[in-house]
Coordinates of all heavy atoms in Angstrom, one line a residue:
F164 N 103.9 101.5 109.7 CA 103.5 102.8 109.3 C 102.2 102.7 108.5 O 102.1 102.1 107.4 CB 104.6 103.4 108.4 CG 105.8 103.8 109.2 CD1 106.9 102.9 109.3 CD2 105.9 105.0 109.8 CE1 108.0 103.3 110.0 CE2 107.0 105.4 110.6 CZ 108.1 104.5 110.7
D165 N 101.2 103.4 108.9 CA 99.9 103.4 108.2 C 99.9 104.5 107.2 O 100.0 105.7 107.5 CB 98.8 103.7 109.3 CG 97.4 103.6 108.7 OD1 97.2 103.7 107.4 OD2 96.4 103.4 109.5
P166 N 99.9 104.2 105.9 CA 100.0 105.2 104.8 C 98.9 106.3 104.9 O 99.1 107.4 104.4 CB 99.8 104.4 103.5 CG 99.6 103.0 103.9 CD 99.7 102.8 105.4
R167 N 97.8 106.0 105.6 CA 96.8 107.0 105.7 C 97.2 108.2 106.5 O 96.7 109.3 106.5 CB 95.5 106.4 106.3 CG 94.9 105.3 105.5 CD 93.7 104.6 106.2 NE 94.3 103.8 107.2 CZ 93.6 102.9 107.9 NH1 92.3 102.6 107.6 NH2 94.2 102.2 108.8
H168 N 98.3 108.0 107.3 CA 98.8 109.1 108.1 C 99.8 110.0 107.4 O 100.3 111.0 107.9 CB 99.5 108.5 109.4 CG 98.6 107.9 110.3 ND1 98.7 108.1 111.7 CD2 97.5 107.1 110.2 CE1 97.7 107.5 112.3 NE2 97.0 106.8 111.4
Y169 N 100.2 109.6 106.2 CA 101.3 110.3 105.5 C 100.9 110.7 104.1 O 101.6 111.5 103.5 CB 102.5 109.4 105.4 CG 102.9 108.9 106.8 CD1 102.5 107.6 107.2 CD2 103.6 109.7 107.7 CE1 102.9 107.1 108.5 CE2 103.9 109.2 108.9 CZ 103.6 107.9 109.3 OH 103.9 107.5 110.6
L170 N 99.8 110.2 103.5 CA 99.5 110.6 102.2 C 98.2 111.4 102.1 O 97.1 110.9 102.4 CB 99.3 109.3 101.3 CG 100.5 108.3 101.3 CD1 100.1 107.0 100.6 CD2 101.6 109.0 100.6
G171 N 98.3 112.6 101.7 CA 97.2 113.5 101.4 C 96.3 113.8 102.6 O 95.2 114.2 102.5
T172 N 96.9 113.7 103.8 CA 96.1 114.2 105.0 C 96.5 115.6 105.4 O 97.7 115.9 105.4 CB 96.3 113.2 106.2 OG1 97.7 113.1 106.5 CG2 95.8 111.8 105.9
H173 N 95.6 116.4 105.7 CA 95.9 117.8 106.1 C 95.1 118.2 107.3 O 94.0 117.7 107.5 CB 95.6 118.7 104.9 CG 96.5 118.6 103.8 ND1 96.5 117.6 102.9 CD2 97.6 119.4 103.5 CE1 97.5 117.7 102.0 NE2 98.1 118.8 102.3
R174 N 95.7 119.0 108.1 CA 95.0 119.6 109.3 C 95.3 121.1 109.2 O 96.4 121.6 109.1 CB 95.6 119.1 110.6 CG 95.5 117.6 110.8 CD 94.1 117.4 111.5 NE 94.1 116.0 111.9 CZ 93.1 115.2 111.6 NH1 92.1 115.6 110.8 NH2 93.1 113.9 112.0
H175 N 94.2 121.9 109.2 CA 94.3 123.3 109.2 C 95.1 123.8 108.0 O 95.9 124.8 108.1 CB 94.8 123.9 110.5 CG 94.1 123.3 111.7 ND1 92.8 123.7 112.0 CD2 94.5 122.5 112.6 CE1 92.4 123.0 113.1 NE2 93.4 122.3 113.5
G176 N 95.0 123.1 106.8 CA 95.8 123.5 105.7 C 97.2 123.1 105.6 O 97.9 123.4 104.6
F177 N 97.7 122.3 106.6 CA 99.1 121.9 106.6 C 99.1 120.3 106.5 O 98.2 119.7 107.1 CB 99.8 122.3 107.9 CG 99.9 123.8 108.0 CD1 99.1 124.5 108.8 CD2 100.9 124.4 107.3 CE1 99.2 125.9 108.9 CE2 101.1 125.8 107.4 CZ 100.2 126.6 108.2
P178 N 100.1 119.7 105.9 CA 100.1 118.3 105.9 C 100.2 117.8 107.3 O 100.9 118.3 108.1 CB 101.4 118.0 105.1 CG 101.9 119.3 104.5 CD 101.2 120.4 105.2
K179 N 99.5 116.7 107.6 CA 99.6 116.1 108.9 C 101.0 115.6 109.3 O 101.4 115.8 110.4 CB 98.6 114.9 109.0 CG 98.4 114.3 110.4 CD 97.4 113.3 110.4 CE 97.2 112.7 111.8 NZ 96.3 111.6 111.8
T180 N 101.7 115.1 108.3 CA 103.0 114.7 108.5 C 103.9 115.2 107.4 O 103.9 114.7 106.3 CB 103.2 113.1 108.5 OG1 102.3 112.6 109.5 CG2 104.6 112.7 108.8
G181 N 104.6 116.3 107.7 CA 105.5 116.9 106.7 C 106.8 116.2 106.6 O 107.1 115.3 107.3
P182 N 107.7 116.7 105.8 CA 109.0 116.0 105.6 C 109.9 116.0 106.8 O 110.6 115.0 107.1 CB 109.6 116.8 104.4 CG 108.9 118.1 104.4 CD 107.5 117.8 104.9
H183 N 109.8 117.1 107.6 CA 110.6 117.1 108.8 C 110.1 116.1 109.9 O 110.9 115.4 110.5 CB 110.7 118.5 109.4 CG 111.3 119.5 108.5 ND1 112.6 119.5 108.1 CD2 110.7 120.5 107.8 CE1 112.8 120.5 107.2 NE2 111.7 121.1 107.0
R184 N 108.8 116.1 110.1 CA 108.3 115.1 111.0 C 108.5 113.7 110.6 O 108.8 112.8 111.4 CB 106.8 115.4 111.2 CG 106.1 114.5 112.2 CD 104.7 114.8 112.5 NE 104.1 113.9 113.5 CZ 102.8 113.8 113.7 NH1 102.0 114.6 113.1 NH2 102.4 113.0 114.7
L185 N 108.3 113.4 109.3 CA 108.6 112.1 108.8 C 110.0 111.7 109.0 O 110.3 110.6 109.4 CB 108.2 112.0 107.3 CG 108.4 110.6 106.6 CD1 107.6 109.6 107.4 CD2 108.0 110.7 105.2
R186 N 111.0 112.6 108.7 CA 112.4 112.3 108.9 C 112.6 112.0 110.4 O 113.3 111.0 110.7 CB 113.3 113.4 108.5 CG 114.7 113.1 108.6 CD 115.7 114.2 108.2 NE 115.3 114.8 106.9 CZ 114.9 116.1 106.7 NH1 114.9 116.9 107.8 NH2 114.6 116.6 105.5
F187 N 112.0 112.8 111.3 CA 112.2 112.5 112.7 C 111.7 111.1 113.1 O 112.3 110.4 113.8 CB 111.5 113.6 113.5 CG 111.4 113.3 115.0 CD1 112.5 113.5 115.8 CD2 110.3 112.8 115.6 CE1 112.5 113.3 117.1 CE2 110.2 112.6 116.9 CZ 111.3 112.8 117.7
L188 N 110.5 110.8 112.6 CA 109.9 109.5 112.9 C 110.8 108.3 112.4 O 111.0 107.4 113.1 CB 108.5 109.4 112.2 CG 107.4 110.2 112.9 CD1 106.1 110.1 112.0 CD2 107.1 109.7 114.3
L189 N 111.3 108.5 111.2 CA 112.1 107.4 110.6 C 113.4 107.3 111.4 O 113.9 106.2 111.7 CB 112.4 107.7 109.1 CG 111.2 107.6 108.2 CD1 111.6 108.1 106.8 CD2 110.7 106.2 108.2
E190 N 114.0 108.4 111.8 CA 115.3 108.4 112.6 C 115.0 107.8 114.0 O 115.8 107.0 114.5 CB 115.9 109.8 112.7 CG 116.4 110.3 111.4 CD 116.9 111.7 111.5 OE1 116.6 112.4 112.5 OE2 117.4 112.2 110.5
S191 N 113.9 108.1 114.5 CA 113.5 107.6 115.9 C 113.3 106.0 115.8 O 113.8 105.3 116.7 CB 112.2 108.2 116.4 OG 112.4 109.6 116.5
V192 N 112.6 105.6 114.8 CA 112.4 104.1 114.6 C 113.7 103.4 114.4 O 114.0 102.4 115.0 CB 111.4 103.8 113.5 CG1 111.4 102.4 113.1 CG2 110.0 104.3 113.9
R193 N 114.6 104.0 113.6 CA 115.9 103.4 113.3 C 116.7 103.3 114.6 O 117.3 102.3 114.9 CB 116.6 104.2 112.3 CG 117.9 103.6 111.8 CD 118.6 104.5 110.7 NE 117.8 104.6 109.5 CZ 117.3 105.8 109.1 NH1 117.7 106.9 109.7 NH2 116.6 105.9 108.0
D194 N 116.7 104.4 115.4 CA 117.4 104.4 116.7 C 116.8 103.4 117.6 O 117.6 102.7 118.3 CB 117.4 105.8 117.3 CG 118.1 105.9 118.5 OD1 119.4 105.7 118.5 OD2 117.5 106.1 119.6
L195 N 115.5 103.3 117.7 CA 114.9 102.3 118.6 C 115.3 100.9 118.2 O 115.6 100.0 119.0 CB 113.4 102.4 118.6 CG 112.6 101.4 119.4 CD1 113.0 101.4 120.8 CD2 111.1 101.7 119.2
R196 N 115.3 100.6 116.9 CA 115.7 99.3 116.4 C 117.1 99.0 116.8 O 117.4 97.9 117.2 CB 115.5 99.2 114.9 CG 115.9 97.9 114.3 CD 115.8 97.8 112.8 NE 114.5 97.3 112.5 CZ 113.9 97.5 111.3 NH1 114.5 98.2 110.4 NH2 112.7 97.0 111.1
E197 N 118.0 99.9 116.6 CA 119.4 99.7 117.0 C 119.6 99.5 118.5 O 120.4 98.6 118.9 CB 120.3 100.9 116.5 CG 120.5 100.9 115.0 CD 121.1 99.7 114.4 OE1 122.1 99.2 115.0 OE2 120.6 99.1 113.4
T198 N 118.9 100.3 119.3 CA 118.9 100.1 120.7 C 118.5 98.7 121.1 O 119.1 98.0 122.0 CB 118.1 101.2 121.4 OG1 118.6 102.5 121.1 CG2 118.1 101.0 122.9
L199 N 117.3 98.3 120.6 CA 116.8 96.9 120.9 C 117.8 95.9 120.4 O 118.0 94.9 121.1 CB 115.4 96.8 120.2 CG 114.3 97.6 120.8 CD1 113.1 97.5 119.9 CD2 114.0 97.1 122.2
K200 N 118.4 96.0 119.2 CA 119.3 95.1 118.7 C 120.5 94.9 119.7 O 120.9 93.8 119.9 CB 119.8 95.5 117.3 CG 120.6 94.5 116.6 CD 121.0 95.1 115.2 CE 121.9 94.1 114.5 NZ 122.3 94.6 113.1
K201 N 121.0 96.0 120.2 CA 122.1 95.9 121.2 C 121.7 95.2 122.4 O 122.6 94.6 123.1 CB 122.6 97.3 121.5 CG 123.3 98.0 120.4 CD 123.6 99.5 120.8 CE 124.2 100.2 119.6 NZ 124.5 101.6 119.9
R202 N 120.5 95.1 122.7 CA 120.0 94.4 124.0 C 119.5 93.0 123.6 O 118.8 92.4 124.5 CB 118.9 95.3 124.6 CG 119.4 96.6 125.1 CD 118.3 97.4 125.7 NE 118.8 98.7 126.1 CZ 118.7 99.2 127.3 NH1 118.0 98.6 128.2 NH2 119.2 100.4 127.6
G203 N 119.7 92.6 122.4 CA 119.3 91.2 122.0 C 117.9 91.0 121.6 O 117.4 89.9 121.6
S204 N 117.2 92.1 121.2 CA 115.8 92.1 120.8 C 115.7 92.6 119.4 O 116.8 92.8 118.7 CB 115.0 92.9 121.7 OG 113.6 92.7 121.5
T205 N 114.5 92.8 118.9 CA 114.4 93.4 117.6 C 113.1 94.2 117.5 O 112.3 94.2 118.5 CB 114.3 92.2 116.5 OG1 114.3 92.8 115.2 CG2 113.0 91.4 116.7
L206 N 112.9 94.9 116.4 CA 111.7 95.7 116.2 C 111.2 95.4 114.8 O 112.0 95.5 113.8 CB 112.1 97.2 116.3 CG 110.9 98.2 116.0 CD1 109.9 98.1 117.1 CD2 111.5 99.6 115.9
V207 N 110.0 95.0 114.7 CA 109.4 94.6 113.5 C 108.6 95.9 113.0 O 107.8 96.4 113.7 CB 108.4 93.5 113.6 CG1 107.7 93.2 112.3 CG2 109.1 92.2 114.1
V208 N 108.9 96.3 111.8 CA 108.3 97.5 111.2 C 107.6 97.1 109.9 O 108.2 96.4 109.1 CB 109.4 98.6 110.9 CG1 108.7 99.8 110.3 CG2 110.1 99.0 112.2
R209 N 106.4 97.5 109.8 CA 105.6 97.2 108.6 C 104.9 98.5 108.1 O 104.6 99.4 108.8 CB 104.6 96.1 108.8 CG 105.1 94.8 109.2 CD 105.8 94.1 108.0 NE 106.2 92.8 108.3 CZ 107.4 92.4 108.7 NH1 108.3 93.3 108.9 NH2 107.7 91.2 108.9
K210 N 104.6 98.5 106.8 CA 103.9 99.6 106.1 C 102.6 99.0 105.7 O 102.6 97.9 105.0 CB 104.7 100.1 105.0 CG 103.9 101.2 104.2 CD 104.7 101.6 103.0 CE 103.9 102.4 102.0 NZ 104.6 102.6 100.7
G211 N 101.5 99.6 106.0 CA 100.2 99.2 105.6 C 99.1 99.5 106.6 O 99.4 100.0 107.7
K212 N 97.9 99.2 106.3 CA 96.8 99.5 107.3 C 96.9 98.5 108.4 O 97.0 97.3 108.2 CB 95.5 99.3 106.6 CG 95.2 100.3 105.5 CD 93.9 100.1 104.8 CE 93.6 101.1 103.7 NZ 92.4 100.8 103.0
P213 N 96.9 99.0 109.7 CA 97.1 98.1 110.8 C 96.1 96.9 110.8 O 96.4 95.8 111.1 CB 96.9 99.0 112.0 CG 97.2 100.3 111.5 CD 96.8 100.3 110.1
E214 N 94.9 97.2 110.4 CA 93.8 96.1 110.4 C 94.2 95.0 109.4 O 93.7 93.9 109.5 CB 92.4 96.7 110.1 CG 92.3 97.4 108.8 CD 92.6 98.9 108.9 OE1 93.3 99.4 109.8 OE2 92.0 99.7 108.1
D215 N 95.1 95.3 108.5 CA 95.5 94.2 107.5 C 96.9 93.6 108.0 O 97.1 92.4 108.0 CB 95.7 94.8 106.1 CG 94.4 95.3 105.5 OD1 93.4 94.8 105.9 OD2 94.5 96.3 104.7
V216 N 97.8 94.5 108.4 CA 99.2 94.1 108.7 C 99.3 93.3 110.0 O 100.0 92.3 110.0 CB 100.1 95.4 108.8 CG1 101.5 95.0 109.3 CG2 100.1 96.1 107.5
V217 N 98.5 93.6 111.0 CA 98.7 93.0 112.3 C 98.3 91.5 112.2 O 99.1 90.6 112.7 CB 97.9 93.7 113.4 CG1 97.9 92.9 114.7 CG2 98.4 95.1 113.7
G218 N 97.2 91.2 111.6 CA 96.8 89.8 111.4 C 97.9 89.0 110.6 O 98.2 87.8 111.0
D219 N 98.4 89.5 109.5 CA 99.4 88.9 108.7 C 100.7 88.6 109.6 O 101.3 87.6 109.5 CB 99.7 89.7 107.5 CG 98.6 89.8 106.5 OD1 97.7 88.9 106.6 OD2 98.6 90.7 105.7
L220 N 101.0 89.6 110.4 CA 102.2 89.5 111.2 C 102.1 88.4 112.2 O 103.0 87.6 112.5 CB 102.5 90.9 111.8 CG 103.8 91.0 112.6 CD1 105.0 90.6 111.7 CD2 104.0 92.4 113.2
I221 N 100.9 88.4 112.9 CA 100.7 87.3 113.9 C 100.8 85.9 113.2 O 101.4 85.0 113.8 CB 99.3 87.5 114.5 CG1 99.3 88.7 115.4 CG2 98.9 86.3 115.3 CD1 98.0 89.2 115.9
T222 N 100.2 85.8 112.0 CA 100.3 84.5 111.3 C 101.8 84.2 111.0 O 102.2 83.0 111.2 CB 99.5 84.6 110.0 OG1 98.2 84.9 110.3 CG2 99.6 83.3 109.2
Q223 N 102.6 85.2 110.6 CA 104.0 84.9 110.2 C 104.8 84.6 111.5 O 105.6 83.7 111.4 CB 104.6 86.2 109.6 CG 104.1 86.5 108.2 CD 104.7 87.8 107.7 OE1 105.4 88.5 108.4 NE2 104.3 88.2 106.5
L224 N 104.6 85.2 112.6 CA 105.3 85.0 113.8 C 105.0 83.7 114.5 O 105.8 83.0 115.1 CB 105.2 86.1 114.8 CG 105.8 87.5 114.3 CD1 105.5 88.6 115.3 CD2 107.3 87.3 114.1
G225 N 103.7 83.3 114.3 CA 103.3 82.0 114.9 C 102.9 82.0 116.3 O 101.7 81.8 116.7
S226 N 103.8 82.2 117.2 CA 103.5 82.1 118.7 C 103.4 83.5 119.3 O 104.3 83.9 120.0 CB 104.6 81.3 119.4 OG 105.8 81.9 119.2
V227 N 102.3 84.2 119.1 CA 102.1 85.5 119.7 C 101.2 85.3 120.9 O 100.1 84.8 120.8 CB 101.5 86.5 118.7 CG1 101.1 87.8 119.3 CG2 102.4 86.6 117.5
S228 N 101.6 85.8 122.1 CA 100.8 85.7 123.3 C 100.0 87.0 123.6 O 99.1 87.0 124.4 CB 101.6 85.3 124.5 OG 102.6 86.3 124.7
A229 N 100.4 88.1 123.0 CA 99.7 89.4 123.3 C 100.0 90.4 122.2 O 101.0 90.4 121.5 CB 100.2 90.0 124.6
V230 N 99.0 91.2 122.0 CA 99.1 92.3 121.0 C 98.7 93.6 121.8 O 97.7 93.6 122.4 CB 98.2 92.1 119.8 CG1 98.2 93.3 118.9 CG2 98.5 90.8 119.0
V231 N 99.6 94.6 121.7 CA 99.3 95.9 122.4 C 99.2 97.0 121.3 O 100.0 97.0 120.4 CB 100.4 96.2 123.4 CG1 100.2 97.5 124.1 CG2 100.6 95.0 124.4
F232 N 98.3 97.9 121.5 CA 98.2 99.0 120.6 C 97.7 100.2 121.3 O 97.3 100.1 122.4 CB 97.2 98.6 119.4 CG 95.8 98.4 119.8 CD1 94.9 99.5 119.8 CD2 95.4 97.2 120.4 CE1 93.6 99.3 120.2 CE2 94.0 97.0 120.8 CZ 93.2 98.1 120.7
H233 N 97.7 101.3 120.6 CA 97.1 102.5 121.1 C 96.2 103.2 120.0 O 96.5 102.9 118.8 CB 98.1 103.5 121.6 CG 98.8 104.3 120.5 ND1 99.8 103.9 119.8 CD2 98.5 105.6 120.1 CE1 100.2 104.8 118.9 NE2 99.4 105.8 119.0
E234 N 95.2 103.9 120.4 CA 94.4 104.6 119.5 C 94.8 106.0 119.4 O 95.1 106.7 120.4 CB 92.9 104.5 119.9 CG 91.9 105.1 119.0 CD 90.5 104.9 119.4 OE1 90.2 104.2 120.4 OE2 89.6 105.5 118.7
E235 N 94.9 106.6 118.2 CA 95.3 108.0 118.0 C 94.2 108.9 118.7 O 93.0 108.6 118.5 CB 95.4 108.3 116.5 CG 95.9 109.7 116.3 CD 96.0 110.0 114.8 OE1 95.9 109.1 114.0 OE2 96.3 111.2 114.5
V236 N 94.7 109.9 119.4 CA 93.8 110.8 120.0 C 93.2 111.7 118.9 O 93.9 112.3 118.1 CB 94.5 111.7 121.0 CG1 93.6 112.7 121.6 CG2 95.1 110.8 122.1
R237 N 91.9 111.8 118.8 CA 91.2 112.6 117.8 C 91.1 114.0 118.3 O 90.8 114.2 119.5 CB 89.9 112.0 117.5 CG 89.9 110.6 117.0 CD 90.4 110.6 115.6 NE 90.5 109.2 115.1 CZ 91.1 108.9 114.0 NH1 91.7 109.7 113.3 NH2 91.1 107.6 113.7
E238 N 91.2 115.0 117.5 CA 91.1 116.4 117.8 C 89.6 116.7 118.0 O 88.8 116.3 117.2 CB 91.6 117.3 116.7 CG 91.6 118.7 117.0 CD 92.2 119.5 115.9 OE1 93.0 119.0 115.1 OE2 91.9 120.7 115.8
I239 N 89.3 117.3 119.1 CA 87.9 117.7 119.4 C 87.7 119.2 119.2 O 88.4 120.0 119.7 CB 87.5 117.3 120.9 CG1 87.6 115.8 121.1 CG2 86.1 117.8 121.2 CD1 87.5 115.4 122.6
L240 N 86.8 119.5 118.3 CA 86.6 120.9 118.0 C 85.3 121.4 118.6 O 84.4 120.8 118.8 CB 86.5 121.1 116.5 CG 87.8 120.7 115.7 CD1 87.6 120.9 114.2 CD2 88.9 121.7 116.2

């Protein structure tokens, strides 16, 4: 979770991530983790800026063969 997406960001006068959306995201991640666990896998969740967290995570895990990511779609006005 990138804190920049949840702290003090607003779009059109509304918080980018309000309490209901945040609750939904947390419940979704929890459900995904449980589903993966039942299938013998896991989900690593971290809080921080991706540009900092991903490198640290790769170092911790040791044998990483691929990193996949997506870029957030920016609103075009």
Side-chain angles (χ1 to χ4, degrees):
F164 290 94
D165 186 340
R167 295 173 292 194
H168 291 223
Y169 307 99
L170 302 174
T172 59
H173 288 77
R174 297 275 190 231
H175 309 291
F177 296 100
K179 186 174 179 184
T180 304
H183 299 292
R184 181 175 183 192
L185 182 57
R186 183 180 313 116
F187 172 77
L188 288 171
L189 293 173
E190 289 172 355
S191 297
V192 168
R193 187 178 302 119
D194 182 64
L195 177 58
R196 178 182 270 160
E197 289 302 315
T198 300
L199 290 170
K200 187 177 177 181
K201 290 175 186 174
R202 295 175 184 233
S204 190
T205 189
L206 177 67
V207 177
V208 179
R209 295 289 187 266
K210 175 184 167 189
K212 295 178 181 177
E214 57 268 27
D215 299 329
V216 174
V217 172
D219 293 341
L220 185 58
I221 290 170
T222 301
Q223 288 175 0
L224 294 174
S226 61
V227 175
S228 59
V230 175
V231 180
F232 67 94
H233 79 277
E234 183 175 353
E235 181 178 354
V236 177
R237 301 285 179 194
E238 184 177 341
I239 300 173
L240 299 176

